Each structure stands twice: as structure tokens, then as C-alpha cells.
Amino acid sequence: MKVAVFSAKSYDRTFLERANAAQGHELVFLEPRLTRETCALAAEFPAVCVFVNDPLDAPVLTALARRGTRLIALRCAGFNNVDLAAARDLGMTVVRVPAYSPYAVAEHAVGLILALNRKIHRAYARVREGNFALDGLLGFDLYGQTVGIVGTGKIGVLVARIMKGFGCHLLAYDPFPNAECEALGVDYAALSDLFVRSDIVTLHCPLTPETHHLIDARALDEMKPGVMLINTSRGALVDTRAVIRALKSGKVGYLGLDVYEEEANLFFENLSDRLIQDDVFARLLTFPNVVVTGHQAFFTRNALEHIAETTLANITDFEQGRPCVNQVSVDRLRK
Ligand code: NAI
């Protein structure tokens, strides 16, 4: 099948081409993101393959459908960037990669916790300058701390497992509690109770209209002074302006982000020769107790192999008219 691969980086090409040896699709790699301005590039392609920051809103989907696209193959798990109702109305199929390596994301979240606590980002810079002073690098034992996990799906449960290994107390909030978490001794609580009791709050739920700005000024007010907040899920779970106010007051003591609500214009590109125009993001970078990574939690060799293999298998299922287990649709979500 002819597939226009948008937002294609060298690593996408490497892993997709390798996996395609077994599938034989005609892949055309396009560097731009798929937007209203670039969707003409997909003319005559029955399938487009996209990533997290390609906005598949109704106008983009309509323009694609008009030019013959019938399949949207997401090479990611989250599908908050797709207007699923519009896709259904246009008769388009949307497939995704529901799990490629939950380990990659869980391990990165824990990496942020460790880096922030022991100030590894600061120590790295200091030692390279010949500064071996320890002032300002004081951390705390993770042992005995209370970690609040919001969302205990594939990633959240792994975070629970790892943090249990450190000897942490585990709290969680999820509308659908996970039996494995319960067996681990995770204590499910109401969201506001989790905010009140946790030393570390880590977000592993999807971005939906209900979870948009789940962490807002009110939620932050409920948290412990000096709380650590980790977000490796989707940027818009957090009201960044409210968090900046909480960092300035000391209410938030540590912030680890792999995602940012306005990341689409920043992440995945080398902008080191340009000036950052996003003042909110620039302010975040001024805090010594903030570590931001550019949506790299998924980025392991293992995950990229799974993403490529599953994406191409999804496309083959569609081409051969087979039901695809990885299809995502509004109707399925409502069930
Ligand atoms: P999953 O679907 O296995 O688990 C999500 C969990 O969140 C489910 O248990 C669900 O019941 C729960 N949930 C739904 N609404 C909730 C709410 N209002 N409050 C609390 N929990 C709620 O998803 P998975 O694989 O664990 O991924 C979680 C998120 O991580 C994805 O939605 C995606 O946004 C993000 N992600 C980030 C990556 C990165 O590179 N930074 C890579 C992959 C995923």
C-alpha cells in the first residue's frame, strides 16, 4: 500500500524500512508535520502514517479524505490528536500502536524522579566545571516516600512496580482500578486524597476532555508543599502557567516533564540556532528544580522496533480487509 509517512525523522526511516522488508508497502517519507498546509502532499495516498504532534482535526481529515486517503496509521499510543468522530463520519479507519514499550516510558518517568531528587542535571554541569561542592545538591531517600500514580494502565502499573522496589508507599487514582496494582499493595484513593497525601505525583492517564488541565491551580493547592510532579503523558494534562506560579511559591518543589502543552512547535526539532518565542516554556527552563526532556520517554530501540512492526502490520490488515485489533474509533471508545 502507498503510505505517506509524515513527521519522518531519520530514525523513523531506519526502523520502518527495516520492518517493511517483511511487509512490502510503498513508504514515502515526508519531513513536514501533517497540517492543513501540508496535507496536499498526501494526495493519492490511501494511507498516511503520523506521529503525536500531527493535528488530525476535522479540516485536515476532510482534506485527506477528499484526496483519497482512507487509513490513518498512528505510530504512537495516544490518539488525542485525532478527531475520531470526524474520521468516522468520513469513513476513515484509524489504527494505532497501543503498546510498544510501556517499560520505556515508565523507566523514563523514574529517571526524571531520580534526576530531580539527586539533582543529577546540576551535578553533571558542576563536575564538568571542576566544582565539587555539594551545597544545593541535597536529596532525600525515596524509601518510605508516598508516590501517587494517576492512571494505572500499562505504564502506570510498571511505575508502581519500580517504585515499590524503592520501598515507596503507593497511592493511585484510576476510574478502572488495576488488579495487578491492587496485588502490589497499591492503595486506590480519590484524586484529591492522592494529591493531599503524595510526596511525588506522576501522571500516566490519557489526555481527554475530562483530564485536560487535571493539574490546575486547585489541584496544586491540595498538594503537599514541595511536592514533586512528573508528567510523561501529555502536556495538556498540566496547566503550565499554574505550575509556574506554584514553582515560584515553592509549592511545587520539583517538576519533571517529558511533554508540554504547546510542544508541537518545539519538540522533535533542533532549534538551537533560534530564539525560543514561547515565554512560558522559556520561563520553565529557568528553574533549577525543573527537568524537561523533549518527548523522548518512548525513545528506545525496543520501542521503535515495536512501533515500526505494529504500524506496518496494521496497514497490512487494513489493505487485506482484515479486522485490525489496533483500530481506534469513537464507537469502540463509547462501549
Ligand atoms: P493505558 O490506556 O494502558 O492506561 C491509561 C490508564 O489511564 C487506564 O487505566 C485508564 O483507565 C486511566 N484513565 C483514564 N482516564 C483517567 C482519569 N481521568 N484519571 C486517571 N486515570 C485515567 O495507557 P498507557 O499505555 O499506560 O499510556 C498512558 C499515557 O502515556 C498515554 O495516554 C499517552 O498519552 C502517554 N504516553 C507517552 C509517551 C511518551 O513518549 N512520553 C509514550 C507512550 C504513551
Side-chain angles (χ1 to χ4, degrees):
M1 194 167 204
K2 233 176 126 187
V3 186
V5 183
F6 281 85
S7 301
K9 302 290 182 202
S10 60
Y11 45 84
D12 293 311
R13 181 186 279 264
T14 303
F15 284 88
L16 283 167
E17 280 182 341
R18 198 179 294 160
N20 197 35
Q23 303 278 353
H25 293 294
E26 189 185 328
L27 306 180
V28 175
F29 294 93
L30 302 163
E31 279 180 30
R33 282 166 56 212
L34 175 56
T35 61
R36 295 177 200 192
E37 290 72 38
T38 62
C39 55
L41 294 169
E44 311 303 323
F45 282 85
V48 297
C49 176
V50 296
F51 197 47
V52 288
N53 289 329
D54 294 302
L56 288 139
D57 53 16
V60 168
L61 290 169
T62 306
L64 289 172
R66 204 181 307 126
R67 295 186 174 96
T69 298
R70 290 171 295 123
L71 176 69
I72 309 293
L74 298 165
R75 49 181 196 279
C76 54
F79 45 84
N80 52 285
N81 52 330
V82 187
D83 184 334
L84 290 177
R88 180 202 48 202
D89 295 345
L90 291 161
M92 298 172 105
T93 300
V94 181
V95 291
R96 65 172 180 140
V97 185
Y100 33 90
S101 175
Y103 302 98
V105 184
E107 289 167 13
H108 192 80
V110 175
L112 289 173
I113 293 173
L114 290 169
L116 282 161
N117 172 17
R118 307 309 298 269
K119 300 165 177 69
I120 291 171
H121 54 299
R122 301 185 66 191
Y124 173 81
R126 271 192 200 186
V127 168
R128 287 174 72 97
E129 291 283 312
N131 176 355
F132 305 105
L134 297 183
D135 319 61
L137 300 184
L138 193 65
F140 56 86
D141 291 359
L142 282 171
Y143 177 82
Q145 296 288 302
T146 299
V147 179
I149 302 170
V150 181
T152 50
K154 291 179 285 297
I155 295 169
V157 71
L158 292 176
V159 171
R161 250 196 247 166
I162 300 170
M163 298 316 291
K164 187 175 166 74
F166 282 110
C168 295
H169 302 298
L170 301 173
L171 288 178
Y173 170 73
D174 192 309
F176 303 97
N178 176 313
E180 189 185 339
C181 275
E182 285 172 329
L184 277 173
V186 174
D187 184 8
Y188 277 93
L191 190 58
S192 88
D193 194 26
L194 179 150
F195 291 153
V196 169
R197 290 164 60 198
S198 298
D199 301 297
I200 299 171
V201 173
T202 182
L203 306 179
H204 302 288
C205 60
L207 175 62
T208 62
E210 295 75 48
T211 60
H212 183 265
H213 284 187
L214 184 85
I215 305 298
D216 57 7
R218 231 175 87 184
L220 290 162
D221 256 3
E222 293 185 311
M223 293 184 196
K224 286 190 182 180
V227 66
M228 181 187 291
L229 178 63
I230 304 291
N231 185 10
T232 60
S233 276
R234 285 293 179 265
L237 293 176
V238 172
D239 176 348
T240 315
R241 285 183 167 80
V243 169
I244 287 175
R245 284 193 295 274
L247 280 160
K248 285 168 75 175
S249 72
K251 180 78 179 188
V252 168
Y254 311 80
L255 177 67
L257 298 180
D258 185 53
V259 286
Y260 167 61
E261 49 185 334
E262 302 297 334
E263 71 178 48
N265 296 323
L266 294 168
F267 287 3
F268 308 124
E269 303 299 331
N270 178 0
L271 304 179
S272 53
D273 284 338
R274 301 200 212 152
L275 300 175
I276 291 180
Q277 298 299 324
D278 181 333
D279 291 348
V280 175
F281 186 75
R283 181 68 176 105
L284 271 184
L285 300 184
T286 65
F287 294 99
N289 50 350
V290 173
V291 172
V292 182
T293 52
H295 208 135
Q296 70 170 81
F298 75 100
F299 199 60
T300 65
R301 190 174 59 235
N302 320 64
L304 290 191
E305 279 166 7
H306 279 117
I307 289 173
E309 283 161 13
T310 308
T311 300
L312 294 170
N314 288 344
I315 295 170
T316 303
D317 280 346
F318 177 80
E319 185 180 35
Q320 298 187 354
R322 286 197 295 260
C324 177
V325 284
N326 297 326
Q327 186 172 344
V328 46
S329 69
V330 253
D331 304 322
R332 280 194 193 193
L333 290 178
R334 287 206 182 108
K335 277 180 198 163

